[in-house]
Amino acid sequence: MTTIPVLVAGSAGQMGRQLVRALAGEDDLRLVAAVDKVSVGEDAGVVAGCQPAGVSVSDDLAAAIDTTSPNVGVVFTSPPAGMPAVRTLLSHRVAAVVGTTGFSAAEFDEIDTLCREHDTPALVASNFAIGAVLMMRFAAEAAPHFGQVEIIELHHDRKADAPSGTALRTAQAITKATPAGSAPAGPEGAPSRGLPQGRVHIHSVRLPGLVAHQEVILGALGQTLTIRHDSLSRESFMPGVLLAIRRVRGLSGLTREIDSLL
Ligand code: NAD
C-alpha cells in the first residue's frame, strides 16, 4: 500500500499531539516530520503520549521539509505561527491542511495567491468536526426563515483568539444567506451585546473545563430555534483532519472548510 507522508507543524500542542496519536492508527498515512518550538529533539510519538514514532521534533520547518519530503503538511500551530508555516509549506510545494485559526481576510487572500503561484492546494478549516460543519450548514439554511440570529461560542480559557474562527465562518454563512435588510437587534454599540459580524452578533465565553462549543440561536415572532454543537474532546476533530489529509492533493487553489468534502 502506498502511504501519504505527513508533516505536522505544532506537533507538541493539544491538537498536534492528538493528530500524532491519530496518525499512528492509520495504515495509509505516515508521520515523517514533526515541527514545534517546544519538545525539540524529543520523539513526537512519546511527546504525544503514544508509541515512539521514530520522528524527532524539529524547530526548523523548511529543513524538515527538505529532509523528509512530505506530501501533506498539517498546521496546528498557535495563531501567530500559522501564516509563516503556510508560506513555507506552499513555497516548498507541500499541500497544506490548516487548522490554526485567526487568519485575517488579507491573509486568506495571500494564501489564495500562494496556492496559484506555487500550483499547490491548501485547505483551511475553522472547524474539522463534522457536527460543527453541519451546524454551520443548518444555521445558514434556517436563517432566512428568522428575523434575528445570535451566536454564543464557548471555548477553553487558553484559546488565543476571539471570536472563534467557527463563529466568524458561521456569521459569514448566515449573512450571505439572509436578506440585506435584516440587521442585528439594538442597542448597537452596547458592550454586552457582543461583536457585530455582518447581520449577526457573536458572544465569546472562555472558561476552564470547556473544549469547543457553539450555539446559534435564531429568533422570530413567538419562537426560537437553537442549533448547538459540542466538541467534548479534541478527538472530535480527527476524522475531519484525516479526511482533509487524504483529499487535499485532489483539490486546487484554496479551499475553505471541509464542507465540500463531506
Ligand atoms: P496549543 O497552544 O496547545 O498548540 C500550539 C502549538 O504550536 C504549541 O505546541 C506551540 O509550541 C506551537 N508553536 C508555536 N509557535 C510555533 C512555531 N513557530 N513553529 C512550530 N510550532 C509552533 O493550541 P491548540 O489547542 O493545539 O490549537 C492550535 C490551533 O488550532 C489554534 O489556532 C486553535 O484555535 C486551532 N484549533 C482548530 C481546530 C479546527 O478544527 N480547525 C480545532 C481546535 C483548535
Side-chain angles (χ1 to χ4, degrees):
M1 177 193 286
T2 54
T3 58
I4 302 174
V6 179
L7 175 151
V8 178
S11 60
Q14 302 257 25
M15 290 296 289
R17 280 182 280 138
Q18 190 74 54
L19 179 56
V20 168
R21 289 197 289 276
L23 288 171
E26 302 299 316
D27 291 340
D28 60 328
L29 307 177
R30 184 166 41 97
L31 179 74
V32 294
V35 178
D36 206 299
K37 61 178 190 179
V38 300
S39 304
V40 177
E42 296 176 42
D43 184 281
V46 173
V47 172
C50 60
Q51 293 296 313
V55 171
S56 298
V57 178
S58 160
D59 60 358
D60 187 336
L61 177 57
I65 294 169
D66 287 340
T67 52
T68 65
S69 304
N71 283 172
V72 179
V74 185
V75 180
F76 272 118
T77 64
S78 36
M83 198 58 217
V86 174
R87 282 190 196 110
T88 304
L89 287 170
L90 293 178
S91 64
H92 285 75
R93 295 180 174 256
V94 178
V97 169
V98 185
T100 297
T101 49
F103 294 111
S104 65
E107 287 173 326
F108 278 114
D109 286 346
E110 185 186 342
I111 297 173
D112 190 31
T113 304
L114 287 169
C115 286
R116 291 167 209 265
E117 268 176 22
H118 300 288
D119 194 21
T120 304
L123 187 152
V124 185
S126 62
N127 200 318
F128 284 100
I130 310 281
V133 174
L134 293 174
M135 169 195 60
M136 289 188 243
R137 199 187 275 182
F138 298 157
E141 189 181 338
H145 303 283
F146 288 80
Q148 303 288 337
V149 189
E150 306 238 347
I151 295 173
I152 304 175
E153 57 96 344
L154 311 93
H155 283 81
H156 59 85
D157 57 339
R158 283 159 288 102
K159 183 169 177 58
D161 51 328
S164 72
T166 305
L168 290 169
R169 280 302 279 172
T170 311
Q172 281 170 11
I174 289 170
T175 300
K176 202 172 151 197
T178 48
S182 43
E188 278 303 316
S192 61
R193 289 289 296 117
L195 180 75
Q197 280 293 306
R199 290 188 266 286
V200 182
H201 279 195
I202 302 176
H203 310 263
S204 298
V205 178
R206 297 290 177 266
L207 286 172
L210 294 170
V211 180
H213 319 258
Q214 179 166 297
E215 276 186 16
V216 181
I217 308 175
L218 304 105
L221 275 180
Q223 61 179 321
T224 63
L225 169 66
T226 301
I227 303 171
R228 180 174 172 117
H229 177 259
D230 296 277
S231 274
L232 303 174
S233 81
R234 288 175 179 79
E235 285 176 318
S236 63
F237 303 112
M238 291 304 119
V241 179
L242 298 177
L243 175 72
I245 293 171
R246 291 185 173 109
R247 298 275 294 279
V248 66
R249 288 174 308 155
L251 304 172
S252 64
L254 167 63
T255 302
R256 300 278 304 270
E257 309 304 333
I258 58 167
D259 206 24
S260 61
L261 305 186
L262 298 185

